[in-house]
C-alpha cells in the first residue's frame, strides 16, 4: 500500500479516534495527537513554528504599544495591560470586535492611524495585522500533508508589515504629534525595540516564503513597495 493511501486511511479514522478513550478523554487526546503528528511532514511543522513565533512577536508588540500609549487601551479601568492583551489573543483571530467589522484587515490598519479615529488605536492596528497575517496562512493554524502554505502570500504579508511599520512611525495629527508612540522620540533615551519586533516578523515571513518556494519550485514575484503610497499588497 502506498504512503498516500495510508495517509488517507489515517485521516479518515482520525475523527473517530478523537471520540474514544473513555469518560476521562485523555486516551482519545493522546491518540488524536499522535495521529495528527503522523499526518504532518517536516515542512508542516516548520510552517506552524514560524506562525507561532509570528503571533508571539505580534502579541509582544501589542503589549509594548499599550505600555507606550496607556490612554488608548479600551479596558484600562477594568484590568491590567498583560491581562488585557492575553484576553485579546485568547480569542480567535477572526473574532469581531465592536467597531472593527471591516472585511479587509488592511483597512483596519489604516483606520487605526486615521487622525479622526476615536477608538482604541492599538487594538485596531493589532487586529488588522493579525487578520492580515493569518490570511497569509489561509487562516489555518495547523498544516498537514494535504494542506500547504502559499509562498507569494507570505512574501506579500512581509511587505505589508513594512508598510504598517512605516505608517506607525509617520502618521501624525493636525498638530504634528504622532498618533501612536512607538520607538523613541527626539531627546528620549534610544529605544528601537519596536523596529526589532517588526524586523523579526518580516524575517519570519520572508524566511518561510523562501522555504516554501524552494520546496515547491515556484518562484516568488518580488516587488518594491512604495510606503508613501500606502498600497498594501493583496493576500
Amino acid at each position: 500500500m502506498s504512503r498516500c493511501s495510508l495517509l488517507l486511511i489515517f485521516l479518515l479514522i482520525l475523527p473517530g479516534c478523537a471520540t474514544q478513550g473513555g469518560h476521562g478523554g485523555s486516551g482519545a487526546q493522546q491518540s488524536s495527537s499522535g495521529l495528527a503528528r503522523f499526518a504532518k511532514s517536516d515542512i508542516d511543522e516548520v510552517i506552524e513554528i514560524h506562525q507561532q513565533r509570528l503571533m508571539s512577536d505580534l502579541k509582544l508588540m501589542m503589549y509594548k504599544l499599550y505600555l507606550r500609549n496607556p490612554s488608548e487601551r479600551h479596558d484600562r479601568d477594568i484590568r491590567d495591560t498583560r491581562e488585557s492583551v492575553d484576553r485579546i489573543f485568547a480569542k480567535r483571530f477572526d473574532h469581531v470586535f465592536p467597531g472593527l467589522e471591516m472585511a479587509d484587515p488592511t483597512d483596519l490598519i489604516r483606520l487605526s492611524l486615521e487622525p479622526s479615529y476615536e477608538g482604541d488605536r492599538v487594538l485596531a492596528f493589532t487586529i488588522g495585522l493579525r487578520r492580515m497575517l493569518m490570511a497569509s496562512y489561509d487562516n489555518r493554524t495547523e498544516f498537514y500533508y494535504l494542506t500547504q502554505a502559499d509562498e507569494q502570500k507570505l512574501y506579500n504579508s512581509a511587505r505589508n508589515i513594512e508598510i504598517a511599520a512605516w505608517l506607525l512611525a509617520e502618521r501624525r495629527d493636525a498638530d504634528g504629534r504622532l498618533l501612536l508612540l512607538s520607538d523613541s522620540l527626539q531627546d528620549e533615551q534610544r529605544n528601537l525595540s519596536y523596529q526589532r519586533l517588526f524586523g523579526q516578523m518580516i524575517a519570519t515571513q520572508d524566511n518561510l516564503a523562501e522555504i516554501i518556494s524552494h520546496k515547491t519550485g515556484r518562484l516568488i514575484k518580488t516587488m518594491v513597495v512604495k510606503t508613501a503610497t500606502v498600497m498594501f499588497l493583496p493576500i
Side-chain angles (χ1 to χ4, degrees):
M1 185 178 292
S2 69
R3 187 177 185 183
C4 183
S5 299
L6 283 171
L7 173 60
L8 290 173
I9 291 172
F10 273 101
L11 289 177
L12 287 171
I13 67 174
L14 182 59
C17 291
T19 61
Q20 299 174 4
H23 295 293
S26 60
Q29 292 173 0
Q30 291 172 1
S31 298
S32 176
S33 176
L35 287 173
R37 284 195 295 271
F38 177 85
K40 291 181 184 294
S41 66
D42 290 343
I43 191 65
D44 295 324
E45 295 184 354
V46 167
I47 294 171
E48 291 178 7
I49 290 170
H50 276 71
Q51 185 189 72
Q52 291 160 12
R53 172 61 186 272
L54 182 71
M55 290 299 127
S56 177
D57 284 342
L58 182 60
K59 184 176 180 179
L60 179 57
M61 173 78 72
M62 184 180 208
Y63 176 73
K64 291 174 66 64
L65 283 173
Y66 270 146
L67 291 182
R68 194 85 162 93
N69 304 270
S71 63
E72 291 292 336
R73 189 159 62 87
H74 61 286
D75 55 357
R76 57 187 177 277
D77 297 327
I78 304 174
R79 55 186 62 90
D80 64 26
T81 305
R82 181 69 69 184
E83 183 182 359
S84 177
V85 174
D86 286 343
R87 286 170 64 91
I88 290 167
F89 274 82
K91 300 181 186 297
R92 279 182 52 88
F93 67 89
D94 55 358
H95 176 80
V96 178
F97 291 85
L100 302 178
E101 298 88 358
M102 294 179 176
D104 189 334
T106 57
D107 286 343
L108 285 177
I109 299 173
R110 292 191 187 94
L111 175 67
S112 71
L113 296 167
E114 285 293 332
S116 60
Y117 183 58
E118 298 180 352
D120 184 332
R121 295 184 185 277
V122 174
L123 179 63
F125 184 79
T126 306
I127 294 303
L129 270 175
R130 189 185 184 195
R131 291 182 191 170
M132 185 274 293
L133 292 171
M134 284 302 301
S136 73
Y137 291 86
D138 290 326
N139 295 321
R140 298 179 183 274
T141 56
E142 291 187 300
F143 291 82
Y144 301 95
Y145 278 108
L146 301 182
T147 58
Q148 60 181 352
D150 185 306
E151 66 284 346
Q152 191 65 53
K153 290 181 179 180
L154 295 167
Y155 173 86
N156 286 4
S157 71
R159 306 291 73 75
N160 286 349
I161 296 173
E162 292 175 352
I163 295 172
W166 181 85
L167 287 172
L168 180 65
E170 296 295 329
R171 283 297 172 89
R172 301 171 183 269
D173 62 18
D175 296 322
R177 294 172 297 197
L178 287 167
L179 294 171
L180 279 178
L181 299 179
S182 54
D183 286 324
S184 303
L185 299 175
Q186 188 176 1
D187 300 328
E188 290 185 333
Q189 184 177 355
R190 190 113 172 117
N191 176 4
L192 299 178
S193 58
Y194 297 89
Q195 285 188 24
R196 285 194 293 270
L197 277 173
F198 276 122
Q200 288 171 192
M201 290 191 288
I202 292 166
T204 295
Q205 296 298 82
D206 275 336
N207 288 341
L208 186 55
E210 288 292 337
I211 291 171
I212 301 297
S213 176
H214 180 75
K215 178 176 175 58
T216 62
R218 296 190 296 258
L219 296 178
I220 297 172
K221 181 180 179 182
T222 61
M223 56 198 75
V224 177
V225 174
K226 297 180 180 179
T227 52
T229 62
V230 199
M231 292 293 292
F232 286 99
L233 302 183
I235 303 295

